[in-house]
Amino acid sequence: MRTSLLPYGRQLIDEDDIRAVVEALRADLVTTGPTVGEFERRFAERVEAKYAVAVSSGTAALHAAAFAAGIGPGDEVVTTPLTFVGTSNAVVYLGGRPVFSDICAGTLNLDPALLETQLTSRTRAVIPVHFAGQPCDLDAIHTVARARGLRVIEDAAHALGAEYRGQRIGSRSDLVVFSLHPVKHITTGEGGVVTTNDAELAARLRRFRNHGFAVDAKDRQARGLLYAEMVDLGFNYRLTDIQCALGLSQLGKLDEFVARRQAVGERYRSELKGLAGLALPALGDGVRHAWHLFPVLLELERLAVDRATIFAALRAENIGVTLHYVPAYWHPYYERLGYRRGLCPRAEAISERIMTLPIFPAMRDGDVEDVVGALRKVLGHYLR
Ligand SMILES: *Cc1c(COP(=O)(O)O)cnc(C)c1O
């Protein structure tokens, strides 16, 4: 048995990342300096988008994107219930109402066939989430959105490095949101990025992360302006140069990180295929999965105990399994807003039997074997 807990995810930071940060600490500007712009240019290039705007977290990126898309009081925004609460919270921050639409039981992504049934005269946008790193059916979502004049904001927090029909995630929708949290593909400690091909949306994002000022500190100095005019109600959502130095260094390793995640994902899939008591989500056609998470589905009808018992048994084996996610609207805050259970039956059923296995770039083959071995032991023991 393992002697230390294998976490479900963690950053991979090397000496060269550390050197980049130390160097950034010696610069004249530790925030609002040139490294922010350089990170944004490189990030945009990497995902083949025209513009990237760096902010202080993925949640700030969602908030900024929803603001830039014009979401306001009374607006409805359709999204998936199988996500981190930050996705729907971004709509609530702006006075809008998230509308939860059910997922495909196979891929666990938003079911485009149900989208249309959720639209009303108040619907303004759709926020698909590329669950676990597998791209949603973007063509189908865009077809519905285009016909109804809706904005599409991709929550790609799981999907940096993923591709849809040969195109990198980051350039296909009005706005695409990434997170740079340590469990995600690359990290800046905390951080987020929004990408877009639209200059006006990019300008709105830049204002929003800087209090709503029409010009940033650099421009104000360069143009000799006495003060910056505040034209929107923004926030301080800036990412520092120190963090962007780490981001630049990490970005150079993205391909390597994603390749390792894919290798771990493939190894899991081949070793776990057919294991009694366990099912694997479906892989869609024409996508490159970025494997942020490795979700599995317990076949509870074949097991003598509930999921909590399986979780505890795997934890006792030092395997850091976790849960992504309970439906967002099951949280007490959303219940208080009036959302009721039963809204999305497929997502609810999935969320009661889903479990996330460890996957991250520093994982060794031996770690994968530990997880597979523990699963065989625990599921074998509890099989009916
Ligand atoms: C991680 C994550 C976020 C939020 O990112 P933070 O950087 O932690 O604020 C949003 N949506 C999804 C789906 C995520 O996984």
Side-chain angles (χ1 to χ4, degrees), residues 8 56-62 82-87 129-131 155-158 177-184 189-192 292-293 324-325:
Y8 90 87
S56 53
S57 70
T59 303
L62 279 162
L82 196 69
T83 188
F84 178 63
V85 288
T87 313
V129 177
H130 306 302
F131 182 76
D155 181 340
H158 297 185
V177 170
F178 297 92
S179 164
L180 307 173
H181 182 276
V183 297
K184 304 288 166 60
E190 298 282 355
H292 162 55
L293 303 174
H324 296 89
Y325 297 97

Side-chain angles (χ1 to χ4, degrees), residues 9 60-61 68 71 91 123 126 138 143 166 181 186 247 253 260 268 285 299-300 365 367:
I71 305 307
V91 177
T123 313
V126 184
L138 285 174
T143 301
H181 182 276
I186 62 167
K253 302 169 187 175
R260 181 61 192 151
Y268 270 144
D285 289 330
E299 295 175 321
L300 291 169
D365 291 349
D367 296 326

Side-chain angles (χ1 to χ4, degrees), residues 172-251:
R172 288 184 71 108
S173 295
D174 297 301
L175 296 142
V176 185
V177 170
F178 297 92
S179 164
L180 307 173
H181 182 276
V183 297
K184 304 288 166 60
H185 296 82
I186 62 167
T187 192
T188 55
E190 298 282 355
V193 178
V194 188
T195 58
T196 181
N197 291 323
D198 181 318
E200 178 49 37
L201 291 178
R204 260 188 253 170
L205 294 166
R206 293 212 161 85
R207 287 199 296 273
F208 192 73
R209 73 156 168 204
N210 190 34
H211 309 282
F213 288 139
V215 293
D216 66 16
K218 265 193 312 293
D219 283 349
R220 203 185 92 203
Q221 280 213 327
R223 290 157 62 180
L225 299 175
L226 209 48
Y227 72 101
E229 284 184 322
M230 186 196 124
V231 294
D232 291 320
L233 184 60
F235 288 78
N236 178 352
Y237 275 165
R238 296 186 303 260
L239 195 63
T240 65
D241 286 65
I242 307 165
Q243 291 170 294
C244 288
L246 179 55
L248 273 168
S249 181
Q250 289 261 299
L251 198 54

Side-chain angles (χ1 to χ4, degrees), residues 277-280 296-303 305-308 310-311 314 349-350 352-355 375 379:
L278 202 74
L280 301 173
V296 295
L297 301 166
L298 293 172
E299 295 175 321
L300 291 169
E301 65 288 353
R302 300 182 67 179
L303 298 166
V305 291
D306 63 4
R307 179 177 57 181
I310 303 286
F311 253 70
L314 289 166
I350 292 284
E352 300 208 85
R353 63 192 197 98
I354 201 166
M355 180 168 81
L375 273 170
L379 294 179

